[in-house]
Amino acid sequence: MFQVRRKEQFPFSIRYPHPYKGIALIAMGFLFLNLVGLNRSPVVWMDEVTLNDPAKELALHGRMVSSVFSGHNGFEEAYYWQPPGQPLVMALVYKVFGFGIWQTRIPGVLFGSGTLVVLYLLATVFFRSHKGALLSAVILGLDPRFIESARSGRMDTQTLFFALLGALLFIVVKQRNYENHDSRRTIFLAGICLGLAGLSHPLAIVWLVSFGVIAILSRERAQLGIFMWVAAIAATPTVLWILSGAAAGDLQLLRHQFLEHGFSRLSVGVVSIGRILEEVLRYAVEYKYAPGLLALYVFGVTWAWMHRDRFRCNPSWFAILFLVPAIFNALFMSKKVGFYFLYPVTMLAIVAGEMTSGLWEGTLVPNRSRITIRLLQSVLILVLANVLVAGILGRYATLAYQWRARDYQPVVRALAEILPYDSIVWGPPDIWYAVEQVGSSLRVRGEPDPDIHDFLVTKVSSNIEFPEQVSHVSEFGAALPPVFGAVHLPSADYRMRVWAWTQH
């Protein structure tokens, strides 16, 4: 009788697979969905080049330097612009699988897939619902900004993977007896994960700060001791990196490169409460094409506050893991660059998944009205449609219309016909793979110099003016056609002009 009544009341109920099979399917789905056109979307861009060039140099020439920044701040001597976490991973990838676009971008997608698994596990620690945890992974996996970061050849998903795994282990160990042998091992693993996250991106320190706040608010000496051990272990990889730089006599380079880059990512001016409003506006900008998802995140926060009794553990732990990264970003970080806003978004995905599960199944609906449940399900379907169009399906549509124009091989062929072996090229980051493939070297900083650069390359869309001793050599590439024949996207294209010195 119960099953029949349930079927009549919830005609749209979802049959979830076994939890672990479910998260495995979600993770594999994320991987395979994002392998489609990975070498074409996004187009090659600045961060992909500047962050992975040291890995290429380490894998191919045995030195972690930056050739694209050569001639500035000692980058040709050593690389300290970012911690070495990503370069070390990517150097191993290049060493084993060779150098190319696919090799650069697949690790980010793999770490993104792993992040969804860890997010699911963390969600089950905070809530009892495996259904909600699965939906949390689905929501983050479909988030257009998370997809973009995973496909962009950056360290963001690598950082998130290790940071969330550290958070998972830290929360677990807080629920155990510190004297237990398994707990001590978990403390060590939590510290290692946080250390690897910090070695991937320095802003991962916000997670460590979150743990410190949780430990202090617990007012228990044992809990504070756990945090101190985690913090000491987490700091070890970064300390070793700094000591290795000191041993090599590179502290001056570390200061110039790392601190200069770090300060450039901070907000300018006096720290004020107005920055919180600026951060809120940034979320509105980041999710302007996916307002349904942003609404889901916002309502998820409200739902979590109103249903604190649904948490399996102290709800303040969750609040701290969300608020510390969010407030730190709001008060100190630039609002124009970086994917670090994804740190608090991962927490929002957890509560959004739990809330969505309850709304879909009707457990959060007063009186469990059939009409209300269907209405809510319809709204959630519209949100899903919005997220898909703004995210992976929109990317597929773009690829379908721009597939040939985004092909990188014409760039390689065009430059191979012009550039002699071992030439030095001044130009945009877009041509990095092509220049390297023909045996030359790219520079992306500074001004054109006839004593340094053999050729100059500019984008057709740029308005760079050269002196009279520069002559036009060639032009190649095609404009990106509008999607559906009408929608012009802001994405860059590979139209380039090649120049050479008339007097050298």
Side-chain angles (χ1 to χ4, degrees), residues 445-491:
R445 275 193 173 185
E447 299 295 328
D449 188 336
D451 295 327
I452 299 176
H453 310 120
D454 300 305
F455 290 88
L456 315 176
V457 178
T458 61
K459 306 190 74 168
V460 170
S461 58
S462 66
N463 296 315
I464 299 176
E465 295 185 4
F466 291 128
E468 294 181 356
Q469 62 265 36
V470 172
S471 62
H472 182 262
V473 174
S474 176
E475 185 171 322
F476 61 87
L480 299 178
V483 179
F484 302 118
V487 181
H488 293 271
L489 300 177
S491 180

Side-chain angles (χ1 to χ4, degrees), residues 83-136:
Q86 186 197 25
L88 290 174
V89 171
M90 292 307 306
L92 178 61
V93 171
Y94 291 150
K95 197 73 174 178
V96 175
F97 300 102
F99 174 72
I101 297 179
W102 282 101
Q103 295 91 321
T104 299
R105 295 180 174 182
I106 285 179
V109 177
L110 287 171
F111 275 114
S113 183
T115 298
L116 299 184
V117 175
V118 179
L119 184 79
Y120 161 81
L121 296 173
L122 188 59
T124 60
V125 170
F126 282 115
F127 298 102
R128 292 180 174 84
S129 171
H130 288 279
K131 297 177 182 179
L134 290 173
L135 285 175
S136 297

Side-chain angles (χ1 to χ4, degrees), residues 2-3 31 35 54 119 128 257 274 282 301 339 413 415:
F2 176 76
Q3 291 182 343
L31 173 62
L35 287 180
L119 184 79
R128 292 180 174 84
Q257 295 179 17
R282 181 183 184 179
V301 172
F339 285 94
R413 290 193 294 267
L415 292 180

Side-chain angles (χ1 to χ4, degrees), residues 220-504:
E220 297 179 15
R221 181 176 296 180
Q223 298 298 329
L224 189 59
I226 291 174
F227 167 72
M228 296 300 292
W229 273 109
V230 170
I233 297 170
T236 300
T238 300
V239 170
L240 291 176
W241 174 52
I242 295 174
L243 290 177
S244 67
D250 293 337
L251 283 182
Q252 190 78 355
L253 293 179
L254 191 151
R255 182 173 65 86
H256 281 303
Q257 295 179 17
F258 180 74
L259 294 183
E260 179 183 292
H261 178 61
F263 283 127
S264 71
R265 293 299 183 263
L266 298 177
S267 291
V268 179
V270 179
V271 176
S272 66
I273 198 70
R275 290 188 180 178
I276 295 179
L277 176 60
E278 294 176 6
E279 186 72 7
V280 172
L281 293 176
R282 181 183 184 179
Y283 281 86
V285 171
E286 297 289 351
Y287 291 96
K288 62 182 177 181
Y289 297 118
L293 179 59
L294 183 59
L296 202 65
Y297 287 153
V298 172
F299 285 121
V301 172
T302 305
W303 173 87
W305 174 259
M306 296 175 60
H307 296 83
R308 298 186 296 277
D309 58 313
R310 295 177 69 97
F311 282 86
R312 294 178 64 182
C313 56
N314 191 334
S316 66
W317 298 353
F318 179 89
I320 291 167
L321 288 174
F322 165 69
L323 287 173
V324 169
I327 293 175
F328 187 93
N329 289 345
L331 296 181
F332 301 109
M333 302 308 297
S334 169
K335 313 305 177 196
K336 298 180 180 180
V337 295
F339 285 94
Y340 29 79
F341 65 88
L342 288 175
Y343 294 3
V345 162
T346 56
M347 296 295 105
L348 295 179
I350 290 177
V351 292
E354 184 69 15
M355 179 189 69
T356 300
S357 175
L359 291 175
W360 185 273
E361 295 294 342
T363 58
L364 299 180
V365 179
N367 301 322
R368 309 187 77 178
S369 167
R370 185 176 181 181
I371 296 177
T372 304
I373 292 172
R374 287 190 175 184
L375 179 61
L376 287 172
Q377 289 175 339
S378 300
V379 171
L380 291 174
I381 290 174
L382 290 176
V383 171
L384 174 62
N386 173 219
V387 174
L388 288 173
V389 170
I392 195 67
L393 292 186
R395 193 174 292 271
Y396 285 172
T398 302
L399 283 169
Y401 278 86
Q402 300 178 350
W403 186 263
R404 293 184 64 182
R406 287 172 174 265
D407 185 7
Y408 198 76
Q409 287 310 304
V411 182
V412 177
R413 290 193 294 267
L415 292 180
E417 294 176 356
I418 300 169
L419 302 181
Y421 179 79
D422 207 26
S423 57
I424 298 178
V425 182
W426 180 94
D430 314 49
I431 61 175
W432 181 53
Y433 294 104
V435 170
E436 290 290 336
Q437 190 165 328
V438 300
S440 296
S441 185
L442 177 67
R443 303 291 183 268
V444 299
R445 275 193 173 185
E447 299 295 328
D449 188 336
D451 295 327
I452 299 176
H453 310 120
D454 300 305
F455 290 88
L456 315 176
V457 178
T458 61
K459 306 190 74 168
V460 170
S461 58
S462 66
N463 296 315
I464 299 176
E465 295 185 4
F466 291 128
E468 294 181 356
Q469 62 265 36
V470 172
S471 62
H472 182 262
V473 174
S474 176
E475 185 171 322
F476 61 87
L480 299 178
V483 179
F484 302 118
V487 181
H488 293 271
L489 300 177
S491 180
D493 56 45
Y494 291 133
R495 289 180 296 167
M496 306 283 175
R497 292 191 179 107
V498 183
W499 311 79
W501 305 99
T502 55
Q503 298 176 359
H504 193 194

